[in-house]
Amino acid sequence: MTEAMADQPKADKKQAKDDAVVRMTRNIGIIAHIDAGKTTVTERILFITGRSHKIGEVHDGQATMDYLEEERKRGITITSAATTCNWRDHKISIIDTPGHVDFTAEVERSLRVLDGAIGVFCGVAGVQPQSETVWRQANRYNVPRIAFVNKMDRTGANFDHAVETMVARLRANPVPIQMPIGAERAFEGVIDLVEMKAYTWDDNARDLEVGEVPAAMRAEAEARREKMIEAVAEFHEPLLEKFVEGETGTIEEIKAAIRAGTLALKITPVLAGSAFKDKGVQNALDAVIEYLPSPYDVPVIEAIDPESGETIVRPYQSSQPLGALAFKTISDPNGDLTFLRLYSGVMKQGEKYYNARTRREERVGRLVRMHANQREGVEIAKAGEIIAVIGFREAITGDTICEKSSVLSYESMEFPDTVISMAIEPQKSSDRDKLSTVIAKLVREDPTFKAYTEEQTGQIVISGMGELHLEVICNRIRDEFKIGVHVGKPKVTFRQTLKAPRDVEARHIKQSGGSGQYAVARVKFTPDSEVDVFEFTDSITGGAISKEYIPSFRNGLANALASGGRSGFPYVKIRAELYDGKTHDVDSSQMAFEACGALAMRLAVDGNTQLLEPIMKIEVEAPEQYTGDVIGDLSSRRGIIEDMVNKPDGIASVKGKVPLSEMFQYSTTLRSITQGRGHYAMEPFSYEAVPPNIAEKLLGEG
């Protein structure tokens, strides 16, 4: 027997041990609308699993997962926070995500690397606007989910209504696997429809009692169980056969069917509870183990070879070469953190690894497992884990970390464009360099935060996803980095496009002795709403323009469109077709054709510009008696009302679209007209034409 053959059983045994660990791992996210109770659910999970010995409350500013000062002051989650706990011999890695639309990128990059998620819904409101956004994000990344209808103890709570809103607003296929025992103040617990057991909590709410289904609820529970089995039977052949023959499947068969349907993204199991009162969270943890996937239960993530472009598929095994995706970076005085999801191989402390984007190696200073902002050092991380690295200097969100001898690149993430900007400057001129350094760190940390220096004024301009986003950034600069700053009034990020098609001939000719410049191009410009930014077509025939000059012409055109001309607002949704031109044997050059491209743009947009503004989808919820005031105020802001629904709890929901430029300080106005009882949510919808009288004013200011 050779030495290699003798080592094989050891390697197989080691891999089998690693496989067992991965199968007992769950990487999940908590996703929902703001104030649905995500962080409270996470806090109870940490307490119940023994990860925390004290419950932190969001309203007291003491939540473990909301560790930023801004989060504790506002009582909302701003940045996704990671932690790890254990339940029923399984390791659960949890990412608690924000619910506010301004921080939707945090949800996006978390869902990109998670295997499953718990969608938390308010038992009173059901599906809310930001719930729809995060649900679509989870659909985009094919993330299996369970749903937890929270706040069942609140006045107006209605479990069935919440489930109905999942069908109506999410187009989901929710399958309740529990039914509540009571509602509002009478909410005592839940009936597990799979095992037909009643889970109740006393007034202390910490002591769980498991018993028989109350006799008065038995008939309803059996009817709901029958409906549940009918919904899931098709995902498990033995259960389907029994169901067709009128027999009852075993508990194991029902669980297997629910799991199969969940992993196939065909159903969403629905549970009920009240996280604040510690009711139902244990059952949700059981459902995570029973129905959400391990890393082995989801499709293997495909990568590409950066050199050949060929697809690479590596199994989730630590014996494979390393493949990891950086999904989040945090600037920290104690050492910047890079969060990674390991898809294959192992990562060791002190080793160097290759960044496929920068084509450079970076050293792992420390490997840590995160518990909110606390760090627990580890020596090695293996495939299937979520880990953080201290020591990477250049890695950003979306980078692939691998081994230099076996390079691959995972698909990166796309984030929405910024919609609002403001000028920022230090209170002390001596802090200018320090401010620039801090902003550069924050830009690296947040892919939806941008910054540039205005050439004419020298001002630093920062851009983000909304007023709250930029306000939080400025407060962090003041509080965390101790730099006093002055900020300007927020400004909306407008765009421009063409009013009408235009055919131009651009002639960049300078021949006054010596080496000249010669470039002539004929271009058809067309506005096109289907184009995101700019689409260029080369239709040159017969060599009218040499192939070597066309990329330079395109670059000149693209750069001029991005610069925005006199107003500075970038041009978008434009097609440009280069169909003819002329060159000179001596005087034509790449530089001449780049200048010709810029000239063609100026000719196309001269007197032919249409200003576009960001339009937001908005939903306002307020007591019915204030509906008229809410609609009147939105109409005065150029809003279009599309729908209004009166809910059973006396709350009216008003939906519509409104220009972002009209919504500054809206939260203050809404509080005033609803006596503090209204709230709203917005999300970017589209860019649409600005009315001529307003456009004229804005372009005049530009």
Side-chain angles (χ1 to χ4, degrees), residues 147-173:
F148 182 74
V149 178
N150 192 26
K151 302 187 179 183
M152 283 302 301
D153 60 320
R154 288 267 301 273
T155 302
N158 186 322
F159 179 74
D160 292 331
H161 170 259
V163 173
E164 289 166 6
T165 62
M166 294 178 65
V167 177
R169 299 186 66 168
L170 302 179
R171 295 195 172 100
N173 183 18

Side-chain angles (χ1 to χ4, degrees), residues 425-426 428-436 453 458-460:
E425 58 183 26
K428 301 176 184 175
S429 57
S430 57
D431 282 342
R432 188 169 184 83
D433 290 343
K434 187 178 176 184
L435 177 62
S436 297
T453 301
Q459 280 186 315
I460 299 173

Side-chain angles (χ1 to χ4, degrees), residues 261-556:
T262 304
L263 299 190
L265 302 172
K266 299 293 186 182
I267 66 168
T268 303
V270 186
L271 302 92
S274 169
F276 183 61
K277 295 291 180 64
D278 299 321
K279 297 178 180 180
V281 179
Q282 294 98 324
N283 308 78
L285 279 167
D286 288 338
V288 167
I289 303 303
E290 299 280 1
Y291 308 126
L292 290 184
S294 76
Y296 282 163
D297 296 320
V298 295
V300 175
I301 303 297
E302 291 186 352
I304 61 166
D305 183 323
E307 298 299 327
S308 66
E310 294 179 359
T311 299
I312 299 174
V313 179
R314 284 185 191 163
Y316 278 108
Q317 291 181 351
S318 54
S319 58
Q320 294 285 319
L322 176 70
L325 182 70
F327 68 93
K328 180 180 173 70
T329 59
I330 294 179
S331 299
D332 193 290
N334 299 316
D336 290 357
L337 286 164
T338 303
F339 286 78
L340 301 169
R341 169 67 192 268
L342 271 61
Y343 289 112
S344 65
V346 298
M347 179 172 279
K348 297 178 181 178
Q349 189 164 284
E351 296 290 324
K352 287 184 177 180
Y353 297 98
Y354 189 74
N355 186 322
R357 177 183 63 86
T358 64
R359 302 192 177 189
R360 295 180 185 173
E361 286 187 304
E362 298 208 60
R363 182 177 174 276
V364 177
R366 282 182 65 204
L367 272 178
V368 292
R369 192 168 285 122
M370 299 300 294
H371 176 51
N373 62 337
Q374 299 171 25
R375 306 173 180 189
E376 300 170 356
V378 295
E379 295 293 324
I380 187 171
K382 297 183 179 180
E385 288 194 72
I386 290 174
I387 203 76
V389 172
I390 301 173
F392 285 1
R393 296 182 180 278
E394 297 183 344
I396 59 173
T397 297
D399 281 359
T400 299
I401 308 300
C402 53
E403 295 176 12
K404 195 172 183 179
S405 59
S406 185
V407 179
L408 80 168
S409 179
Y410 294 110
E411 183 182 358
S412 190
M413 289 164 262
E414 293 185 4
F415 298 99
D417 290 335
T418 58
V419 295
I420 192 169
S421 61
M422 63 169 60
I424 184 172
E425 58 183 26
Q427 291 178 351
K428 301 176 184 175
S429 57
S430 57
D431 282 342
R432 188 169 184 83
D433 290 343
K434 187 178 176 184
L435 177 62
S436 297
T437 302
V438 167
I439 287 176
K441 281 188 174 185
L442 295 174
V443 166
R444 177 178 172 238
E445 179 180 309
D446 183 350
T448 59
F449 175 58
K450 309 292 183 189
Y452 68 93
T453 301
E454 182 69 56
E455 288 184 15
Q456 295 178 339
T457 64
Q459 280 186 315
I460 299 173
V461 178
I462 57 175
S463 304
M465 299 307 298
E467 274 189 284
L468 179 61
H469 187 197
L470 294 186
E471 186 181 332
V472 166
I473 290 282
C474 292
N475 287 348
R476 287 188 64 192
I477 291 171
R478 292 188 187 103
D479 299 337
E480 289 182 36
F481 299 99
K482 310 301 180 188
I483 302 174
V485 292
H486 296 296
V487 296
K489 185 180 177 182
K491 293 183 178 180
V492 169
T493 305
F494 291 92
R495 301 280 188 268
Q496 298 180 99
T497 192
L498 301 179
K499 281 183 182 177
R502 180 169 285 183
D503 197 324
V504 305
E505 180 182 72
R507 303 174 63 85
H508 180 73
I509 301 174
K510 294 184 178 179
Q511 294 174 301
S512 55
S515 58
Q517 294 185 43
Y518 189 99
V520 177
R522 295 189 178 93
V523 193
K524 291 178 183 175
F525 288 92
T526 310
D528 191 334
S529 60
E530 298 299 314
V531 175
D532 284 337
V533 181
F534 164 59
E535 194 169 287
F536 178 79
T537 304
D538 171 16
S539 299
I540 292 293
T541 57
I545 299 177
S546 173
K547 290 291 183 186
E548 67 178 300
Y549 298 139
I550 291 173
S552 299
F553 178 83
R554 184 194 184 286
N555 288 343

Side-chain angles (χ1 to χ4, degrees), residues 665-678:
Q665 302 298 318
Y666 179 65
S667 56
T668 303
T669 303
L670 183 63
R671 279 197 299 270
S672 174
I673 63 178
T674 64
Q675 296 185 15
R677 298 172 64 190

Side-chain angles (χ1 to χ4, degrees), residues 110-315:
S110 297
L111 287 171
R112 171 69 170 80
V113 299
L114 291 171
D115 302 321
I118 302 176
V120 180
F121 300 94
C122 175
V124 180
V127 173
Q128 295 167 282
Q130 189 62 8
S131 306
E132 297 181 61
T133 303
V134 298
W135 201 262
R136 286 197 301 270
Q137 289 172 308
N139 286 341
R140 184 157 58 246
Y141 293 116
N142 297 318
V143 178
R145 278 144 278 171
I146 61 174
F148 182 74
V149 178
N150 192 26
K151 302 187 179 183
M152 283 302 301
D153 60 320
R154 288 267 301 273
T155 302
N158 186 322
F159 179 74
D160 292 331
H161 170 259
V163 173
E164 289 166 6
T165 62
M166 294 178 65
V167 177
R169 299 186 66 168
L170 302 179
R171 295 195 172 100
N173 183 18
V175 177
I177 60 173
Q178 293 180 349
M179 62 176 284
I181 301 174
E184 301 181 339
R185 286 189 175 184
F187 177 67
E188 297 176 16
V190 297
I191 294 172
D192 183 331
L193 299 176
V194 178
E195 299 186 355
M196 287 300 280
K197 292 180 181 177
Y199 291 80
T200 57
W201 290 262
D202 61 15
D203 292 337
N204 184 32
R206 300 284 158 81
D207 298 325
L208 168 63
E209 292 184 11
V210 184
E212 296 297 316
V213 176
M217 302 184 72
R218 186 89 197 177
E220 183 184 355
E222 287 177 349
R224 286 177 179 256
R225 188 175 198 260
E226 186 79 6
K227 188 176 180 182
M228 174 194 72
I229 294 173
E230 182 181 0
V232 304
E234 65 178 286
F235 305 110
H236 191 265
E237 196 66 35
L239 180 63
L240 181 60
E241 290 177 4
K242 289 183 178 180
F243 181 77
V244 170
E245 293 172 6
E247 299 178 20
T248 302
T250 66
I251 290 173
E252 288 69 26
E253 288 170 341
I254 296 171
K255 286 184 176 180
I258 295 171
R259 180 176 179 81
T262 304
L263 299 190
L265 302 172
K266 299 293 186 182
I267 66 168
T268 303
V270 186
L271 302 92
S274 169
F276 183 61
K277 295 291 180 64
D278 299 321
K279 297 178 180 180
V281 179
Q282 294 98 324
N283 308 78
L285 279 167
D286 288 338
V288 167
I289 303 303
E290 299 280 1
Y291 308 126
L292 290 184
S294 76
Y296 282 163
D297 296 320
V298 295
V300 175
I301 303 297
E302 291 186 352
I304 61 166
D305 183 323
E307 298 299 327
S308 66
E310 294 179 359
T311 299
I312 299 174
V313 179
R314 284 185 191 163

